[in-house]
């Protein structure tokens, strides 16, 4: 099933890439019920990491007969194909005031952002998920221990005591090290279109859908790449968007190679795991059809965000769409 698309792939070491210029062909490929993406990502994993099959003396050549497809396939939409896979916190300036940022100062600043969000929720009377006095004591103790050691004893403070706080902050627009993904390719397609419609358009530009396969990560990559699949009852955003998040741990190897703000593509390349990442590139000429398709099937801001906020975002999307579809000539 995936062989047809396998022949169209371009290997960029850090990821594979496939380009679609025909809307119907792209929809056929991306539809979850067709299983083309899962089949292709499974084929890539087994082709480039055969040890995961646990049959060292048996080389699989024909993947059509392989009945178990990888399930941990997630998607992310970008309005510009050149955008990198970097979380919002990694995109901000590294210099804080007059202090030249090193990795310790950078991580302290990251933790301060989360604590400010926590304090703001207290001030606004917002209940944070799994929040209680014992959790806050553990958070405080871990950060205090980390800061007193100036990071010498450990490279990272971010662990499961901070996950739900960071997830909630991320989904309300606060800068974190988390990167948003979704289990549904059409949610990612909506976000790609929405972001693209906000931009100044160049006929030669592209937008894209990223696909990540996190199935059976058992090698050294597992020490660095973390996939968070939070309970979908945490907030409506996560539930309606079928949200999943990734982040990279500040492992000593990664720190020495890339510092505290690594790019996911670079990490996958470093661990020879580029077969886990697929970039689906699309021309801007497909925006009209894809946005309409997502909108008609309720993959729009009204459904994904709900409430007045979702209605306002949908209105903006529609206005941007009209400006794109019917541009005003000078």
């Amino acid at each position: 099933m995936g062989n047809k698309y396998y022949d169209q792939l371009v290997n960029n070491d850090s990821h594979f890439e496939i380009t679609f210029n025909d809307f119907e062909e792209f929809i056929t490929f991306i539809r979850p019920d067709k299983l083309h993406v899962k089949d292709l990502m499974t084929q890539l994993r087994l082709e480039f990491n055969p040890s995961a099959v646990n049959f060292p003396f048996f080389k699989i050549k024909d993947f059509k007969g392989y009945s178990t497809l990888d399930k941990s396939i997630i998607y992310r939409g970008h309005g510009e194909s050149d955008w990198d896979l970097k979380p919002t916190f990694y995109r901000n300036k590294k210099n804080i005031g007059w202090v030249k940022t090193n990795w310790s100062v950078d991580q302290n600043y990251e933790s301060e952002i989360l604590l400010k969000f926590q304090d703001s929720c207290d001030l606004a009377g917002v209940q944070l998920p799994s929040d209680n006095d014992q959790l806050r004591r553990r958070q405080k103790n871990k950060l205090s221990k980390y800061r007193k050691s100036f990071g010498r004893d450990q490279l990272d403070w971010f662990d499961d005591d901070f996950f739900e706080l960071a997830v909630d902050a991320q989904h309300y627009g606060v800068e974190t090290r988390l990167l948003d993904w979704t289990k549904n390719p059409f949610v990612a397609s909506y976000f790609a279109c929405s972001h693209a419609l906000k931009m100044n358009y160049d006929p030669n530009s592209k937008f894209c859908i990223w696909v990540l396969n996190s199935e059976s990560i058992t090698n050294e990559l597992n020490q660095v790449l973390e996939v968070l699949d939070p309970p979908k009852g945490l907030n409506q955003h996560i539930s309606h968007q079928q949200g999943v998040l990734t982040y990279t741990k500040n492992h000593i190897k990664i720190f020495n190679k890339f510092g505290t703000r690594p790019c996911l593509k670079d990490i996958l390349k470093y661990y020879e795991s580029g077969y886990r990442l697929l970039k689906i590139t699309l021309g801007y000429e497909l925006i009209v059809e894809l946005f309409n398709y997502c909108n008609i099937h309720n993959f729009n801001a009204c459904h994904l965000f709900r409430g007045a906020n979702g209605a306002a975002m949908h209105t903006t999307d529609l206005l941007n769409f009209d400006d794109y579809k019917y541009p005003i000539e000078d």
Side-chain angles (χ1 to χ4, degrees):
M1 185 160 35
N3 289 338
K4 170 186 174 182
Y5 300 105
Y6 186 88
D7 294 337
Q8 300 177 36
L9 295 176
V10 176
N11 188 347
N12 293 320
D13 290 333
S14 64
H15 65 282
F16 280 81
E17 187 168 353
I18 187 170
T19 300
F20 289 96
N21 297 309
D22 181 82
F23 174 73
E24 294 297 335
E25 187 178 6
F26 166 71
I27 293 297
T28 299
F29 173 68
I30 205 75
R31 275 178 55 178
D33 58 313
K34 295 295 185 180
L35 301 178
H36 290 311
V37 175
K38 287 188 175 182
D39 184 82
L40 180 61
M41 299 307 288
T42 304
Q43 177 173 347
L44 285 172
R45 182 175 66 85
L46 297 179
E47 175 86 10
F48 288 89
N49 187 22
S51 61
V53 190
N54 294 322
F55 295 110
F57 301 106
F58 181 68
K59 295 183 179 180
I60 295 179
K61 295 295 184 184
D62 182 6
F63 292 88
K64 288 183 178 180
Y66 197 78
S67 59
T68 303
L69 298 184
D70 291 348
K71 296 180 180 179
S72 301
I73 308 297
I74 52 180
Y75 307 82
R76 177 177 172 84
H78 280 190
E80 171 57 60
S81 65
D82 290 337
W83 290 350
D84 221 333
L85 287 168
K86 281 194 173 184
T88 51
F89 178 76
Y90 290 0
R91 298 174 215 158
N92 66 25
K93 295 181 179 180
K94 287 192 175 185
N95 286 349
I96 306 166
W98 59 271
V99 180
K100 185 177 180 180
T101 307
N102 58 29
W103 61 271
S104 180
V105 174
D106 206 37
Q107 289 212 6
N108 284 335
Y109 180 52
E110 181 187 11
S111 64
E112 286 175 6
I113 291 176
L114 288 184
L115 294 182
K116 286 179 180 178
F117 174 72
Q118 192 178 67
D119 290 341
S120 297
C121 287
D122 288 346
L123 187 63
V126 174
Q127 175 66 45
L128 290 166
S130 303
D131 193 24
N132 56 62
D133 183 64
Q134 289 184 341
L135 175 62
R136 294 204 180 190
R137 286 172 183 267
R138 291 199 304 271
Q139 291 171 340
K140 183 178 179 179
N141 289 336
K142 288 180 180 180
L143 288 176
S144 177
K145 181 180 178 181
Y146 174 81
R147 288 167 180 166
K148 286 180 179 178
S149 69
F150 294 98
R152 287 191 296 266
D153 297 334
Q154 53 184 336
L155 281 175
D156 210 348
W157 52 269
F158 193 70
D159 62 12
D160 53 3
D161 282 334
F162 294 91
F163 288 166
E164 291 190 358
L165 174 61
V167 169
D168 215 48
Q170 171 77 8
H171 279 278
Y172 285 104
V174 177
E175 294 180 351
T176 76
R177 75 168 74 177
L178 300 178
L179 198 61
D180 286 306
W181 299 79
T182 173
K183 295 180 180 180
N184 193 305
F186 293 119
V187 173
S189 297
Y190 158 75
F191 280 110
C193 288
S194 179
H195 292 152
L197 290 170
K198 297 175 184 176
M199 304 175 67
N200 293 323
Y201 305 103
D202 179 348
N204 298 317
S205 296
K206 306 285 185 180
F207 65 113
C208 71
I209 312 295
W210 286 99
V211 185
L212 177 65
N213 184 1
S214 59
E215 186 82 18
S216 302
I217 299 180
T218 56
N219 56 16
E220 287 185 310
L221 181 62
N222 192 42
Q223 301 175 20
V224 178
L225 178 62
E226 185 78 23
V227 181
L228 303 180
D229 189 0
K232 299 302 177 276
L234 285 178
N235 61 48
Q236 285 190 338
H237 292 179
I238 296 175
S239 174
H240 297 305
Q241 297 170 21
Q242 299 181 49
V244 179
L245 304 103
T246 61
Y247 81 93
T248 52
K249 306 174 187 177
N250 285 325
H251 191 276
I252 186 64
K253 287 185 178 180
I254 296 301
F255 168 71
N256 289 336
K257 183 73 175 178
F258 305 109
T260 57
R261 297 185 173 195
C263 173
L264 181 58
K265 287 194 305 180
D266 294 336
I267 290 176
L268 292 176
K269 181 179 180 179
Y270 179 73
Y271 285 103
E272 299 181 345
S273 298
Y275 59 86
R276 293 188 176 275
L277 190 62
L278 173 68
K279 182 180 184 180
I280 306 171
T281 303
L282 306 165
Y284 270 126
E285 66 273 10
L286 301 185
I287 286 181
V288 171
E289 289 179 286
L290 184 55
F291 181 83
N292 275 330
Y293 186 94
C294 291
N295 191 31
I296 290 172
H297 291 86
N298 277 332
F299 295 103
N300 53 44
C302 285
H303 177 76
L304 299 177
F305 291 92
R306 300 298 177 98
N309 184 42
M313 293 176 65
H314 185 56
T315 301
T316 301
D317 283 338
L318 293 177
L319 292 174
N320 290 335
F321 179 72
D322 287 341
D323 289 342
Y324 176 72
K325 191 174 181 181
Y326 308 108
I328 299 176
E329 297 183 1
D330 294 332

